[in-house]
Amino acid sequence: MYDPNQRVILLVEDNADDELMTLRAFRKSNIHNPVVVVRDGAEALDYLFRQGRHSDRDPDIRPQVILLDLHLPRIDGLEVLRRIRAHEQTRTLPVVILTSSKEERDLVEGYQLGVNSFVHKPVDVTAFFEAVKQLGMYWLVLNELPTPRRSM
């Protein structure tokens, strides 16, 4: 499906409009990395841990960055983050909370659970595109990840 050397973005987003805007922002910013979109927390965990419909995912293809919404069906974003950080195979994956939540407790808990960055989704389309562009440039171009352990 994807080249294992390509830097995959995992977008965990249940809002179709926000998904579309994020994908457009990547294209407009000339970020052409593969984007895997999952629409709830349970599917995000299935993808990351190669379970359910993602059980045949190539273990060599891991996300370069996870863009994680907080208010998700089935399993919320903070619980997804908690499980990512609890597992040795996913603990070092960069996770950016990209949310419309302005709740201080979400911000605090996100950092307590080990999020790498917390970004409020700008309401303004131009500001949203710029935020996604900056996220993409940093996490896909500048940031370096450790070599993954083989058993993911």
Side-chain angles (χ1 to χ4, degrees), residues 58-111:
D58 184 338
D60 292 329
I61 300 174
R62 10 183 300 138
Q64 179 73 15
V65 64
I66 301 167
L67 301 179
L68 178 64
D69 191 14
L70 288 183
H71 303 293
L72 298 167
R74 298 182 1 169
I75 299 174
D76 74 29
L78 289 173
E79 181 59 27
V80 171
L81 177 60
R82 182 177 288 107
R83 293 185 193 183
I84 289 169
R85 293 298 184 242
H87 200 284
E88 184 179 346
Q89 294 172 347
T90 55
R91 185 173 295 140
T92 60
L93 290 176
V95 178
V96 175
I97 291 176
L98 183 58
T99 184
S100 55
S101 172
K102 300 261 187 199
E103 296 291 327
E104 180 73 13
R105 69 175 180 257
D106 288 339
L107 177 74
V108 170
E109 189 172 357
Y111 277 110

Side-chain angles (χ1 to χ4, degrees), residues 32-144:
H32 300 291
N33 298 61
V35 179
V36 175
V37 178
V38 296
R39 291 178 178 82
D40 63 52
E43 188 180 2
L45 293 171
D46 282 353
Y47 178 83
L48 290 167
F49 296 113
R50 298 176 49 235
Q51 302 168 352
R53 72 182 198 110
H54 297 284
S55 62
D56 61 346
R57 177 179 67 79
D58 184 338
D60 292 329
I61 300 174
R62 10 183 300 138
Q64 179 73 15
V65 64
I66 301 167
L67 301 179
L68 178 64
D69 191 14
L70 288 183
H71 303 293
L72 298 167
R74 298 182 1 169
I75 299 174
D76 74 29
L78 289 173
E79 181 59 27
V80 171
L81 177 60
R82 182 177 288 107
R83 293 185 193 183
I84 289 169
R85 293 298 184 242
H87 200 284
E88 184 179 346
Q89 294 172 347
T90 55
R91 185 173 295 140
T92 60
L93 290 176
V95 178
V96 175
I97 291 176
L98 183 58
T99 184
S100 55
S101 172
K102 300 261 187 199
E103 296 291 327
E104 180 73 13
R105 69 175 180 257
D106 288 339
L107 177 74
V108 170
E109 189 172 357
Y111 277 110
Q112 287 173 339
L113 292 171
V115 75
N116 297 93
S117 187
F118 192 105
V119 178
H120 294 285
K121 293 177 188 173
V123 176
D124 176 73
V125 173
T126 303
F128 184 88
F129 275 36
E130 184 59 27
V132 170
K133 175 182 177 182
Q134 295 299 321
L135 286 170
M137 294 305 293
Y138 177 79
W139 292 105
L140 299 171
V141 177
L142 299 174
N143 189 56
E144 292 186 33

